[in-house]
Amino acid sequence: MAMSVYAGTTLSEAEKIIAGDYSVFDWRERATYSRVYLGMNPAIRDAENALDNDTDKPVVVALLLKAEKMLVKDRVRRLSAIKSARIIPDEELLKRTGYLFDTEKLIGLPEGIVMRASNGVYIVQCDADQYQCSLRGKRDAFSTNQQVYVGDRVKIQVIDETHGTIAAVMRRKSQYKRRGTQSKRVILIPNLDGLVIVSSVKEPPIWQQMLDKFLVIAEASGIEPLICLNKIDMLENRSEVESIATVYQKIGYRTLHTSATTGEGIEDLKAWMKGKISAFTGLSGVGKSSLLNAIQPNLKLKTNTVNPRRGGRHTTVATQLYNLDFGGFIADTPGLRELNFWDIEARLMDRYFPEINSLRERCTKNLCTHTYEEGCRVEDALKKGDISQSRYESYREFRKSN
Ligand SMILES: Nc1nc2c(ncn2[C@@H]2O[C@H](COP(=O)(O)OP(=O)(O)OP(=O)(O)O)[C@@H](O)[C@H]2O)c(=O)[nH]1
Ligand SMILES: [Zn+2]
């Protein structure tokens, strides 16, 4: 039975495919354009990626397959039998998805990052310059349902030294979401690279379950976490904290001992943040503000200010990005502390614990929950001490919690 699938690629790659050269679809290659999807939208996202390479034009290719057993979820892993290939013309793309690539006009446009947004005005930073931008006519360059968020990378059309219009939104790297505290609105920070999870070693002491929760959120959103064990100056004996750190290092997480007071670890923290868009998270009083101040004293983050227009009851400051002197951005996101699991399915929780994820396919029972089953490799590892008891307890807790 023949079926249609879609790939997002560049014009020159598409021409090769149409000519019968399918080497781009070698599934062992991890190139973006080698992915094929059942739906058109993810293919569009891949094609947008082609905009990174300004000399080519992004296109969506429809492939007719003689397909059997090649599907894994909605991704197609192997293409052994392509019957035909064609480039989807712009009009068809627009008709079917409301989307139009506008590359001719985008070539040469400066690319920047949205630092702030309010009332339809977007402050976009391109290298050292900031522009006040509005969105262009919706049908013009990007999909009708596309929204622009702080953290988005955009192409802008410069009007004058301080003004511009946003011409296109670039494909997002990670999608960090949470439910708005008040309204049920979803707030999203695209392109967040790093999540600095701050715990203090004393006053308040490390709360491992909370740390595990932040790690799960980072894993599920595709953001690299850093575990920052702060107030290290308050300990005379570090051995207990070091053994906790080892648990996390063993499963691949980076940990840092820091002190906002003595400056220990601050240079390492800066080195990790350099070139990234990162955000800080952690419980109240662990030293987030103090650390930020140690990193760069002139940052004036407004996380805890109260919006007077909302009657001062709730913190409703919008997300903003700030420049770091040493390169990179810090996202100031109110309410990061209230992070929750709303977006994470409990039954998929094993994927977000790296030490469980690496074993889950070897469990005897299909769809093993790793909580009681016979032949569970996770339970074996727990007994042998390869998986830490506290991590496992967090797993069980989170699996129940939604
Ligand atoms: N000894 C020591 N005290 C610290 C350190 N970092 C922060 N503190 C103190 O811990 C307290 C809380 O620090 P903050 O930076 O306000 O903590 P925060 O995480 O920003 O707290 P919230 O604003 O409530 O989220 C303050 O009294 C700081 O002086 C540190 O490295 N060592
Ligand atoms: Zn299992």
Side-chain angles (χ1 to χ4, degrees), residues 363 368 370 376 378:
C363 291
C368 185
H370 326 299
C376 175
V378 175

Side-chain angles (χ1 to χ4, degrees), residues 268-286:
D268 292 332
L269 181 55
K270 283 163 83 168
W272 188 86
M273 292 171 73
K274 190 174 174 180
K276 292 191 175 82
I277 301 178
S278 37
F280 275 55
T281 191
L283 297 173
S284 183
V286 295

Side-chain angles (χ1 to χ4, degrees), residues 198 203 230-234 258-262 282-291 304 337:
V198 185
E203 296 176 24
N230 192 39
K231 306 197 192 181
I232 195 71
D233 59 283
M234 292 181 83
T258 58
S259 167
T261 309
T262 66
L283 297 173
S284 183
V286 295
K288 298 180 295 296
S289 317
S290 310
L291 282 173
N304 295 309
R337 210 183 292 141

